[in-house]
Amino acid sequence: MTIRYISLALLLSLSLTIAAAAGRNNLIKLPTESDGESSEEDSVGTRWAVLVAGSSGYWNYRHQADVCHAYQILKKGGLRDENIIVFMYDDIANNFNNPRPGVVINNPRGEDVYKGVPKDYVGSQVTAKNLYAVLLGNKTGLTGGSGKVIESGPNDHIFIYYTDHGGPGILGMPWGPYIYADELNDVLKKMHAAGSYKSLVFYLEACESGSIFEGILPENLNIYATTASNAEESSWGTYCPGEYPSPPAEYDTCLGDLYSIAWMEDSDIHNLRTETLGQQYHVVKRRTANEDSYYGSHVMEYGDRKLNVADLFIYIGTDPKNDNYTFVEDSSLTTLKPVNQRDADLLHFWHKFRNAPEGSTKKFEAQKQLAEAMSHRAHVDTSVQQIGNLLFGNKNGAEVLKSTRRTGQPVVDDWNCLRSLVRTFEMHCGSLSQYGMKHMRSFANICNAGVNQEKMAEASKQVCTSFPTNPWSSIENGFSA
């Protein structure tokens, strides 16, 4: 009898020891098992995320597809909808051009990433003003939308992801003024001063996206940022018609962006408790460089780079089904053939035109869209070039407009000057639009050369004798500044 009681006591003790050990270190789990949201938040604080697609129009399908995919990663990672704030125009899923109504895909395999995505700020609510208010937790600064803002504290972690067109010192928004680098960085500084986070990660997809932080973002704000390109190059769309891998045959638009696809497809397959920000940065950098070919860009790091040793799990959680898939440094994903961000709309219009039946309304409409886009590009390019020649002479104009500053300097010294010159140009010559953002360096250089608004107005008035009325003009899309 005594031996039996001793055996039962030992068995009970052993069971308690095993249970305690399992509670401390749950190393082996089934893919469907989860630690639970509350314990995760106790260890890392609350995770907050802001996802921004800064474009509109079916030819920009990929940006909203990127954001929808990012939402699915965060949701599978354990973030609650109340802590995920989504900006997207929401004109893609049910667009008459969409071959799968109500469905958005971000890769050729065709999984729907639109289902369940919160519609916090849509249509004309997708503005720089609303974005700043959300980041600052300023509900009174909002115009429309769900009213959700970041309500974080000093122990919380924030993830911001933006995808759209950009230019030197600027990021697009579909409605109203664009996002200027100085204003965005001022918002980030205010968030830090207010104790809004323990650390913040910013992933940024846009042409010349490095210029948003180059020489502007301090290293002491506990912010780690990566960008799709450096301050002087384009970023790239991918999964585009006619390229490899191509989207399903019925699609005539790019499904994703190269940098964005790289970080998200990496996040889709790994246990993010064991992969650091720095490890993902190197994976994304290699894939986005596209074997250092012309068809790629240089992914960059800014801010506090010491934060890149942190696990991705802290910011975006992790999908429990990947718990047994540890990050491997030399893991590789498919090499992609991308398309320059600024040419993706032309590619869409061309494929739409080519595939439409002869003599059809659809073919005529696609031809008209292509012609208007090309005409707008020629108008903007010629106008900026002629203004440069008037201000600096035919010999020096092009050199001044195209000059770049040394690494570590922001694109412009006086950001208010930049905004005023852009607004002046657009009042006389029409909207820069997503394509014209490439000329922001020219306007910055005009400011840096000491040209004031009055001289810019005289030159713009002389070059642009009539105001464009096509769909790309400021009449329809509003001013950039």
Side-chain angles (χ1 to χ4, degrees):
M1 181 70 72
T2 303
I3 293 173
R4 185 170 62 183
Y5 283 135
I6 292 173
S7 298
L8 287 171
L10 287 172
L11 183 60
L12 179 61
S13 175
L14 181 60
S15 299
L16 290 172
T17 302
I18 292 172
R24 288 194 307 269
N25 190 16
N26 194 6
L27 289 175
I28 301 175
K29 294 184 291 183
L30 295 175
T32 55
E33 292 178 331
S34 172
D35 289 330
E37 277 186 6
S38 59
S39 62
E40 289 177 354
E41 289 196 356
D42 288 342
S43 62
V44 302
T46 301
R47 300 181 186 86
W48 290 84
V50 179
L51 310 177
V52 185
S55 67
S56 61
Y58 188 76
W59 52 90
N60 288 318
Y61 181 106
R62 62 196 182 279
H63 300 134
Q64 293 182 53
D66 291 338
V67 157
C68 290
H69 187 176
Y71 167 79
Q72 302 300 340
I73 290 171
L74 297 175
K75 190 67 176 175
K76 290 175 183 176
L79 275 74
R80 301 186 181 97
D81 279 352
E82 66 197 65
N83 301 124
I84 305 173
I85 303 170
V86 178
F87 286 77
M88 66 177 184
Y89 206 81
D90 198 27
D91 60 343
I92 300 302
N94 296 300
N95 193 291
F96 69 91
N97 287 299
N98 189 4
R100 302 181 190 177
V103 171
V104 174
I105 63 176
N106 197 218
N107 64 59
R109 295 183 298 279
E111 301 94 339
D112 180 23
V113 293
Y114 183 70
K115 185 177 180 180
V117 177
K119 313 297 190 304
D120 292 307
Y121 300 92
V122 299
S124 61
Q125 301 158 2
V126 184
T127 64
K129 177 177 175 288
N130 275 348
L131 175 61
Y132 300 154
V134 164
L135 293 175
L136 293 171
N138 177 18
K139 290 188 176 184
T140 61
L142 294 170
T143 302
S146 68
K148 281 164 63 177
V149 298
I150 291 180
E151 298 181 270
S152 55
N155 295 319
D156 298 337
H157 301 275
I158 300 175
F159 175 73
I160 304 173
Y161 168 56
Y162 171 98
T163 176
D164 183 27
H165 296 278
I170 196 171
L171 299 172
M173 288 299 258
W175 200 268
Y178 290 163
I179 297 168
Y180 282 76
D182 67 320
E183 294 175 340
L184 178 59
N185 281 274
D186 283 348
V187 167
L188 296 176
K189 291 173 185 175
K190 288 177 183 177
M191 292 173 70
H192 179 262
S196 298
Y197 60 84
K198 185 172 183 178
S199 59
L200 184 153
V201 168
F202 202 130
Y203 279 12
L204 177 53
E205 170 87 63
C207 292
E208 289 94 13
S209 47
S211 66
I212 301 301
F213 301 121
E214 181 87 38
I216 309 173
L217 180 64
E219 297 179 1
N220 61 350
L221 300 183
N222 294 333
I223 294 175
Y224 174 75
T226 74
T227 61
S229 62
N230 64 29
E232 301 175 16
E233 63 186 352
S234 297
S235 62
W236 297 80
T238 193
Y239 296 142
C240 299
E243 304 297 342
Y244 178 81
S246 290
E250 65 269 28
Y251 285 83
D252 53 19
T253 187
C254 300
L255 302 182
D257 291 288
L258 188 56
Y259 160 89
S260 297
I261 289 295
W263 81 258
M264 287 190 284
E265 291 189 353
D266 178 70
S267 299
D268 281 333
I269 61 173
H270 287 127
N271 178 358
L272 303 183
R273 297 174 189 271
T274 64
E275 181 176 355
T276 67
L277 289 162
Q279 287 172 323
Q280 184 167 87
Y281 164 73
H282 288 291
V283 168
V284 174
K285 185 174 184 176
R286 285 196 301 270
R287 199 175 186 202
T288 307
N290 230 348
E291 300 178 345
D292 292 321
S293 69
Y294 167 78
Y295 300 98
S297 58
H298 299 85
V299 175
M300 304 295 289
E301 291 177 298
Y302 297 97
D304 186 354
R305 300 182 193 185
K306 296 190 296 296
L307 289 176
N308 72 8
V309 299
D311 293 329
L312 285 157
F313 166 77
I314 294 174
Y315 303 95
I316 62 176
T318 188
D319 187 342
K321 75 178 184 182
N322 294 330
D323 280 357
N324 297 327
Y325 293 90
T326 302
F327 174 78
V328 178
E329 185 67 40
D330 63 354
S331 63
S332 60
L333 293 161
T334 305
T335 300
L336 305 174
K337 182 68 181 296
V339 170
N340 190 297
Q341 276 261 36
R342 293 195 174 104
D343 293 334
D345 58 341
L346 300 184
L347 183 71
H348 163 68
F349 296 142
W350 166 246
H351 277 272
K352 187 177 176 182
F353 170 77
R354 190 183 69 172
N355 295 331
E358 286 295 334
S360 67
T361 301
K362 189 174 182 180
K363 198 173 191 74
F364 172 77
E365 183 62 29
Q367 184 180 27
K368 181 183 176 185
Q369 287 177 314
L370 183 59
E372 286 176 341
M374 293 298 292
S375 174
H376 170 72
R377 288 176 176 227
H379 166 72
V380 172
D381 290 344
T382 301
S383 299
V384 173
Q385 179 186 357
Q386 290 180 354
I387 287 171
N389 289 343
L390 280 176
L391 292 172
F392 306 109
N394 292 338
K395 183 178 180 181
N396 298 322
E399 182 181 348
V400 172
L401 297 185
K402 294 179 181 179
S403 64
T404 58
R405 310 184 93 181
R406 70 175 185 270
T407 302
Q409 274 193 302
V411 68
V412 70
D413 295 323
D414 185 343
W415 290 91
N416 288 328
C417 172
L418 178 60
R419 279 183 281 272
S420 70
L421 295 199
V422 169
R423 182 63 181 266
T424 300
F425 173 88
E426 291 190 324
M427 287 177 65
H428 295 282
C429 301
S431 175
L432 287 170
S433 79
Q434 62 188 47
Y435 171 77
M437 292 183 200
K438 65 181 284 186
H439 291 294
M440 291 301 296
R441 189 179 308 280
S442 296
F443 294 110
N445 288 338
I446 293 172
C447 279
N448 294 335
V451 174
N452 60 29
Q453 186 175 1
E454 184 179 354
K455 289 182 180 178
M456 183 68 176
E458 290 175 4
S460 299
K461 193 183 302 183
Q462 189 171 337
V463 167
C464 301
T465 55
S466 62
F467 195 91
T469 57
N470 64 50
W472 301 98
S473 77
S474 302
I475 293 174
E476 296 209 12
N477 292 331
F479 292 100
S480 302

